[in-house]
Amino acid sequence: MKTQVVIIGAGPAGLLLGHLLRAEDIDCIIVERASAEYVLGRIRAGVLEQTTTDLLHRLDIDARLNSEGLLEEGFCLADGERLIRIDTYGLTGKHVTVYGQTEVTRDLMDAAPQRGLEIIYEANVVVLHDIDGNAPYVTYRKDGCEHRIDAHFIAGCDGYHGPSRQAIPKSVAQSYEREYPFGWLGILADVPPCHDELIYANHKRGFALASMRSKTRSRYYIDVPVTENVEDWNDDRLWDELAVRLGPQAAANMTRGAAIEKSIAPLRSFVFEPMRHGSLFLAGDAAHIVPPTGAKGLNLAASDVHYLSEALAGFFNHNDNDGIAAYSQKALARVWKSERFSWSLTKLMHRFPEDGPFERRMQMAELDYISGSEAAQKTIAENYVGLPL
């Protein structure tokens, strides 16, 4: 097979890039190692920046987003006793939208056939070849046979563990990483949210988050040591801990229910540079990971593929190399600012093992300052809703 761009990975980053390229009449094929059912079974975040929803609106893949997405005009920080509301819409004029990543993926999948976007699922042993030149190709195995796709460029949208990043020589790359000493223990339940906006809580017992997927489905988290086992947390124990950490106001409105899904997700910050080598481009989790504090993961992937689709459209449709040459630097500038915000919010709202009474009082002082400073709230708000593209 031959195409202009091979996209590795059919998560939201790869699918969104594929749709953006097809909208510019650029041929592309997506190769995904897992089945479509497995991809849709991944439980992920659900807060979309306006930059992300704007892309879906532009592609006219927004019918369910428009009918089911929840527009949020703010969120809350809690210190165990009170809720500090950050009026993101009033401070920035922008919304975020609560709409699950699984639903975004489903919408992009469903729209693929009518847009001529080819997706090859269950492609095993994916290998990238000749990425240093201008005639790269990808091989994979499916149904017992080896297949080859020749292309002009390869887009690695295959996540942290995919083969794309591994294909870049270590001699030309630099990675930056911080692993956190805790994970997020999450519970998904068909119960109404305890609050109509997200609550990030800093309690002396640890962090908690009250979130939602819809008006009838809620997602809650607490931080736990990385050594913790999810089997040690039955539903009642987790609900009891959430009620304490979120504070009395949220606890009074909390509805308990049986877990649909329960898991512990480790937290890390990770950035890989550069995001382009030869004819290979990285986007999304293949190039960077952020802690879920601040909900930047999917939104960063969306900004990556926005930049990349513009660069590829310039190359193929206008014989312009400038966007290709600038992609990595342009994408990384936004990546690092989002990493900074996620890291700072994580530091503010979590208790680290090495922290003592002084660090705890610094967190409380910072939250108290935020509660009374419009300037501080505006800084948080403009980062939360997403920096300009």
Side-chain angles (χ1 to χ4, degrees):
M1 290 183 286
K2 290 186 178 180
T3 191
Q4 289 173 295
V5 181
V6 176
I7 301 170
I8 302 178
L15 289 167
L16 184 56
L17 177 60
H19 279 284
L20 290 167
L21 294 180
R22 293 300 301 128
E24 295 288 341
D25 293 322
I26 297 170
D27 292 331
C28 57
I29 298 173
I30 301 178
V31 178
E32 167 60 49
R33 66 174 180 82
S35 66
E37 293 75 17
Y38 181 87
V39 173
L40 281 174
R42 299 168 181 158
I43 303 295
R44 294 291 188 269
V47 178
L48 306 181
E49 296 176 359
Q50 191 168 318
T51 53
T52 303
T53 55
D54 283 349
L55 291 175
L56 296 170
H57 294 319
R58 194 176 95 196
L59 291 166
D60 196 27
I61 306 178
D62 59 358
R64 288 205 309 134
L65 171 67
N66 293 337
S67 63
E68 300 175 19
L70 304 177
L71 286 180
E72 296 283 294
E73 296 188 352
F75 70 99
C76 296
L77 302 175
D79 61 5
E81 298 295 332
R82 60 180 170 169
L83 297 181
I84 304 166
R85 184 173 185 269
I86 308 298
D87 181 6
T88 52
Y89 183 73
L91 292 165
T92 69
K94 295 181 179 180
H95 296 93
V96 296
T97 304
V98 173
Y99 189 66
Q101 179 172 319
T102 301
E103 306 311 316
V104 174
T105 304
R106 187 187 307 278
D107 294 342
L108 293 168
M109 280 183 177
D110 290 348
Q114 69 189 62
R115 293 169 185 271
L117 178 57
E118 182 177 358
I119 309 170
I120 301 170
Y121 291 103
E122 300 181 80
N124 299 308
V125 198
V126 176
V127 181
L128 290 69
H129 305 266
D130 294 350
I131 62 171
D132 290 306
N134 58 11
Y137 64 98
V138 171
T139 58
Y140 65 93
R141 293 191 64 81
K142 184 176 173 67
D143 300 326
C145 299
E146 181 163 298
H147 303 264
R148 169 173 169 158
I149 307 175
D150 292 274
H152 202 109
F153 293 111
I154 300 172
C157 304
D158 47 349
Y160 183 78
H161 298 289
S164 296
R165 188 178 69 253
Q166 311 303 324
I168 297 178
K170 291 182 172 57
S171 60
V172 301
Q174 174 71 53
S175 60
Y176 305 85
E177 186 166 13
R178 168 72 189 269
E179 292 189 355
Y180 295 88
F182 40 73
W184 276 17
L185 169 59
I187 182 172
L188 184 70
D190 278 332
V191 295
C194 68
H195 196 269
D196 56 2
E197 296 176 337
L198 275 70
I199 301 173
Y200 294 83
N202 179 325
H203 190 271
K204 63 183 179 181
R205 293 174 64 93
F207 167 82
L209 170 62
S211 183
M212 72 286 288
R213 292 293 175 268
S214 70
K215 293 181 179 180
T216 59
R217 176 168 288 186
S218 298
R219 184 70 160 165
Y220 290 92
Y221 296 95
I222 61 171
D223 72 324
V224 295
V226 290
T227 54
E228 202 80 0
N229 295 312
V230 69
E231 294 79 15
D232 295 331
W233 287 85
N234 62 39
D235 290 1
D236 288 339
R237 182 188 177 194
L238 182 48
W239 287 116
D240 288 345
E241 189 67 21
L242 282 162
V244 172
R245 295 191 191 187
L246 288 170
Q249 186 174 340
N253 296 301
M254 182 186 295
T255 302
R256 303 184 179 210
I260 300 172
E261 189 268 350
K262 194 189 300 178
S263 59
I264 298 177
L267 271 65
R268 65 158 54 90
S269 297
F270 172 80
V271 180
F272 182 90
E273 298 183 354
M275 289 175 61
R276 177 208 174 187
H277 177 72
S279 54
L280 170 64
F281 301 87
L282 302 180
D285 288 358
H288 43 74
I289 302 286
V290 290
T293 328
K296 293 299 166 198
L298 172 58
N299 295 299
L300 268 185
S303 64
D304 288 348
V305 299
H306 166 75
Y307 294 140
L308 183 52
S309 65
E310 286 193 333
L312 292 170
F315 178 86
F316 287 114
N317 296 339
H318 305 288
N319 198 29
D320 180 1
N321 288 296
D322 291 348
I324 295 293
Y327 167 70
S328 180
Q329 183 178 2
K330 191 173 186 179
L332 282 167
R334 196 171 193 271
V335 166
W336 277 112
K337 292 182 181 71
S338 295
E339 290 278 356
R340 182 207 66 81
F341 177 65
S342 295
W343 172 80
S344 63
L345 195 58
T346 300
K347 285 287 290 181
L348 175 63
M349 304 307 292
H350 292 73
R351 302 291 305 279
F352 285 72
E354 66 272 20
D355 288 352
F358 178 81
E359 287 78 13
R360 173 65 177 164
R361 290 303 298 265
M362 287 296 98
Q363 288 180 329
M364 294 299 98
E366 180 69 12
L367 287 167
D368 194 44
Y369 170 66
I370 292 168
S371 71
S373 170
E374 183 176 319
Q377 292 180 19
K378 187 170 184 178
T379 297
I380 294 171
E382 68 178 9
N383 280 273
Y384 189 78
V385 300
L387 298 174
L389 290 174

